[in-house]
């Protein structure tokens, strides 16, 4: 099976062929560390985390590089406002970024280069551009000469002449052409600065990604990622810098994530409509946040709302419940006679086709929404099977259910969505413990053990024909949403009808 990815450069889905068999090089632009990241930023980072995880699941050896922009106007402005050093502000938010990414279950990149630690490589690249006639020094600044690179505009589909017509002429500009962009900026008083052949200064934003990707991978590398808001000018400028300097293609595939929106408007710091990832992490479990994001294809825009998060919470509960109930059923003695064979076979077929559908959807430009749809279908079918035959599941039924639960766990795990797969415990409400303490003299804290104590009490009450006590157990559990089912091999508790 081939993996196809939508390449922004080609404006089409293409078969993905890595430059080196079995290995994938991915570069994605990281954050500018002047504040905590919002959940829009988190969506893009999460999308590339899942792309990476799937490539690894498919057996590729992935090298994943993501930069941290730790010197920038926004950082300097924030430092000035707070009377701090820019490096302090950057260090604080770099740490916060790494912590929030880890909390969201995003794997650390293989390499996380910082702009301030890549200055010599950036200077060397700028020197190559100057000597090749693609950049020029002007009053301590260095600019890239856009007209010197014929391919400018090819990623974003813009025409240089049209851009020139619409360009705003900045007064006192040191640029020769309004389209040119800064590679190096001379330092203003109080700003962080580094020595360079053009005097003390600091790099422009775009140059770091060109320098770092070449340094880490050599060109061309396989996949360049980022949010769609970076296509122009940032990625266009990266291409111009790297291809003008080296004469070779910069990246083979350009993958861009859609924007997370609130009320149909892009979430952004400047619009003030943002929610910080760290605050959302406090309010919702990680698997729920990830599910919400992954239920939409990474290239589509995603409308964020707490209603949708609540829906994702319900979906998560449905998946985890299925796995828990299957584990619970497996922990019980099997019935001699189980479900009709045709039904068991139907469930087994559903399991096999789910694995195939999941892979086909993910191979189709990482369609996590479709892949999750396949998982949900299996969950629905397994839940139906369990609720239909809850009273009598044979060893063969339990084996099929067990493999279905294994598969569901594995597939959502590929998407970085952990399930609580413990056989008992969280599936049963904590009230079961209280009830067992009251009725059965249970003195532990484990809900599954407590349920067992209650069932034992009920069995002995029934043996003694003490219906009042037996019913007290059944009714007490029913009040907690837990049903007692009498099966051929003894009583079991079930939750939510399954
Ligand atoms: P920045 O720190 O602004 O450079 O953004 C870091 C990453 O977040 C980039 O890949 C952006 O494309 C991405 N990003 C910014 N805003 C959003 C949004 N509302 N939805 C999705 N991604 C975003
Ligand atoms: Zn970049």
């Amino acid at each position: 099976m081939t993996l196809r990815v939508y390449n922004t450069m080609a404006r089409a889905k293409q078969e993905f062929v890595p430059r080196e068999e079995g290995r994938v090089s991915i570069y994605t632009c990281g954050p500018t560390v002047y504040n905590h990241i919002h959940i829009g930023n988190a969506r893009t980072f999460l999308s590339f985390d899942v792309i990476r995880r799937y490539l690894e699941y498919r057996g590729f050896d992935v090298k994943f590089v993501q930069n941290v922009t730790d010197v920038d106007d926004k950082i300097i402005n924030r430092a000035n406002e707070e009377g701090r050093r820019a490096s302090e502000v950057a260090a604080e938010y770099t740490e916060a970024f790494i912590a929030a990414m880890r909390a969201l279950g995003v794997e650390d990149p293989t390499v996380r280069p910082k702009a301030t630690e890549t200055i010599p490589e950036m200077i060397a690249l700028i020197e190559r551009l100057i000597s090749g006639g693609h950049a020029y020094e002007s009053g301590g600044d260095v600019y890239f000469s856009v007209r010197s690179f014929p391919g400018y505009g090819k990623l974003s589909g813009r025409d240089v002449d049209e851009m020139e017509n619409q360009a705003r002429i900045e007064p006192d500009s040191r640029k020769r052409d309004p389209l040119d962009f800064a590679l190096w900026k001379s330092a203003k008083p109080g700003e962080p600065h580094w020595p360079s052949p053009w005097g003390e200064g600091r790099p422009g934003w775009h140059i770091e990604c060109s320098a770092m990707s070449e340094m880490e991978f050599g060109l061309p590398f396989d996949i360049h990622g980022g949010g769609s808001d970076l296509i122009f000018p940032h990625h266009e400028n990266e291409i111009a810098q790297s291809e003008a300097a080296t004469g070779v293609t910069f990246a083979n595939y350009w993958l861009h994530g859609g924007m997370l929106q609130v009320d149909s408007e892009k979430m952004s710091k400047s619009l003030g409509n943002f929610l910080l990832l760290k605050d959302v992490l406090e309010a919702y479990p990680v698997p729920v946040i990830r599910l919400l994001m992954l239920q939409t294809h990474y290239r589509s825009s995603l409308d964020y709302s707490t209603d949708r998060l609540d829906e994702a919470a319900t979906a998560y509960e449905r998946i985890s419940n299925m796995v828990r109930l299957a584990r619970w059923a497996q922990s019980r003695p099997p019935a001699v006679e189980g479900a009709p064979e045709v039904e068991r076979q139907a469930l087994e077929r559903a399991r096999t086709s789910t694995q195939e559908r999941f892979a086909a959807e993910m191979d189709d430009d990482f369609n996590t929404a479709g892949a999750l749809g396949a998982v949900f279908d299996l969950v629905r079918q397994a839940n139906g099977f369990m609720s239909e035959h809850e009273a009598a599941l044979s060893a063969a039924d339990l084996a099929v259910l067990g493999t279905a639960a294994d598969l569901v766990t594995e597939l959502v795990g590929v998407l970085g969505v952990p399930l609580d797969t413990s056989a008992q415990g969280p599936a049963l409400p904590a009230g079961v413990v209280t009830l067992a303490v009251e009725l059965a003299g249970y003195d532990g804290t484990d809900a599954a053990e407590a349920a067992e104590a209650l069932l034992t009490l009920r069995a002995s009450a029934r043996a003694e024909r003490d219906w009042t006590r037996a019913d007290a157990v059944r009714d007490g559990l029913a009040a907690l949403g837990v049903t007692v089912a009498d099966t051929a091999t003894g009583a079991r508790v079930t939750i939510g009808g399954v």
Side-chain angles (χ1 to χ4, degrees):
M1 259 195 315
T2 55
L3 170 63
R4 292 170 67 79
V5 302
Y6 185 91
N7 183 355
T8 308
M9 185 67 90
R11 290 164 184 73
K13 275 187 207 167
Q14 296 178 321
E15 182 181 343
F16 175 70
V17 184
R19 65 176 182 183
E20 227 183 301
E21 209 185 316
R23 288 171 181 268
V24 181
S25 42
I26 307 185
Y27 184 94
T28 60
C29 304
T32 303
V33 281
Y34 70 104
N35 198 342
H36 293 284
I37 64 161
H38 59 63
I39 54 169
N41 305 130
R43 185 206 180 188
T44 295
F45 300 139
L46 178 63
S47 297
F48 286 96
D49 178 57
V50 170
I51 287 172
R52 172 207 192 160
R53 283 168 181 268
Y54 183 64
L55 290 167
E56 285 172 349
Y57 175 69
R58 242 177 158 286
F60 288 109
D61 178 4
V62 179
K63 178 167 175 179
F64 190 100
V65 179
Q66 181 176 62
N67 65 313
V68 170
T69 303
D70 60 350
V71 54
D72 175 88
D73 288 341
K74 291 188 214 120
I75 300 171
I76 295 169
N77 291 343
R78 175 135 199 175
N80 288 343
E81 279 162 29
E82 295 179 358
R84 294 202 284 167
R85 295 161 61 92
S87 55
E88 255 174 66
V89 170
E92 176 184 340
Y93 292 110
T94 302
E95 218 169 276
F97 167 68
I98 294 172
M101 284 289 96
R102 288 182 181 160
L104 187 61
V106 170
E107 285 177 1
D108 281 349
T110 321
V111 189
R112 195 186 326 259
K114 291 181 180 166
T116 54
E117 292 169 5
T118 319
I119 305 282
E121 289 81 1
M122 288 194 250
I123 290 176
L125 179 54
I126 296 170
E127 286 186 301
R128 276 151 73 200
L129 287 167
I130 294 177
S131 63
H134 294 289
Y136 55 90
E137 190 265 348
S138 174
D141 296 346
V142 180
Y143 294 97
F144 184 90
S145 167
V146 166
R147 290 277 180 185
S148 78
F149 178 67
Y152 196 82
K154 64 181 174 180
L155 180 71
S156 56
R158 289 176 197 230
D159 179 79
V160 176
D161 291 326
E162 252 170 55
M163 282 193 277
E164 192 88 70
N165 287 337
Q166 287 161 11
R168 195 167 50 92
I169 313 285
E170 297 155 40
D172 309 324
S173 175
R174 295 169 182 166
K175 297 178 190 177
R176 291 183 191 156
D177 182 327
L179 293 185
D180 295 349
F181 58 88
L183 299 172
W184 187 262
K185 300 174 180 185
S186 59
K188 298 195 195 83
E191 288 185 354
H193 54 88
W194 290 262
S196 82
W198 320 287
E200 291 289 320
R202 62 190 170 93
W205 171 34
H206 314 295
I207 195 72
E208 68 188 71
C209 296
S210 285
M212 292 166 179
S213 47
E214 189 178 352
M215 173 173 107
E216 293 296 341
F217 301 130
L219 304 189
F221 58 96
D222 294 312
I223 296 178
H224 195 311
S228 59
D229 56 337
L230 298 187
I231 295 175
F232 188 87
H234 184 54
H235 290 165
E236 201 71 74
N237 292 354
E238 287 185 25
I239 293 170
Q241 295 162 161
S242 294
E243 296 192 356
T246 63
V248 302
T249 301
F250 178 45
N252 288 331
Y253 301 90
W254 285 88
L255 271 54
H256 288 103
M259 293 294 105
L260 183 141
Q261 306 179 328
V262 186
D263 299 330
S264 305
E265 223 173 9
K266 177 189 170 190
M267 178 173 284
S268 74
K269 299 256 168 69
S270 54
L271 288 174
N273 61 349
F274 62 88
L275 276 174
L276 299 180
L277 172 62
K278 72 180 180 67
D279 295 335
V280 177
L281 278 170
E282 271 179 28
Y284 285 88
V286 167
V288 171
I289 302 171
R290 292 184 70 109
L291 263 192
L292 165 76
M293 305 257 186
L294 299 176
Q295 280 178 298
T296 300
H297 188 276
Y298 79 91
R299 278 197 300 120
S300 307
S301 46
L302 186 159
D303 264 304
Y304 174 87
S305 68
T306 45
D307 281 354
R308 294 201 59 200
L309 256 178
D310 292 335
E311 281 167 29
T314 309
Y316 178 66
E317 209 32 56
R318 211 173 303 134
I319 308 177
S320 348
N321 248 339
M322 179 248 144
V323 174
R324 277 192 217 117
L325 289 170
R327 300 290 181 234
W328 170 259
Q330 282 181 300
S331 73
R332 311 284 303 155
V336 178
E337 188 138 348
E341 180 146 2
V342 280
E343 290 187 36
R344 184 169 57 248
Q345 283 172 347
L347 183 61
E348 174 60 18
R349 270 200 308 280
R351 185 188 66 86
T352 321
S353 71
T354 299
Q355 181 139 35
E356 286 160 12
R357 264 179 72 197
F358 181 91
E361 296 287 3
M362 290 300 285
D363 276 353
D364 180 15
D365 194 27
F366 310 104
N367 186 2
T368 53
L372 280 170
V375 174
F376 282 127
D377 285 347
L378 178 60
V379 165
R380 207 170 300 124
Q381 190 149 347
N383 273 337
F385 185 84
M386 286 191 281
S387 90
E388 182 117 335
H389 305 294
E390 59 166 334
L393 290 165
S394 67
D397 295 338
L398 292 172
V400 173
L401 268 176
T403 53
D406 289 346
L407 183 67
V408 167
T409 309
E410 175 190 325
L411 297 182
V412 294
V414 172
L415 306 178
V417 177
L419 288 187
D420 182 349
T421 56
S422 57
Q424 299 99 5
L428 292 165
V432 173
V433 174
T434 322
L435 188 68
V437 170
E438 278 170 19
L439 298 183
Y442 173 67
D443 61 0
T445 54
D446 183 272
E449 262 178 33
E452 283 300 320
L454 286 165
L455 289 178
T456 309
L457 169 69
R458 179 169 167 272
S460 60
R462 280 159 66 103
E464 290 161 20
R465 309 184 82 76
D466 182 351
W467 308 119
T468 317
R469 255 152 76 89
D471 288 350
V473 172
R474 178 188 286 258
D475 297 346
L477 283 168
L480 298 166
V482 179
T483 312
V484 178
D486 289 302
T487 76
T489 50
R492 300 167 50 221
V493 288
T494 64
I495 306 115
V498 285

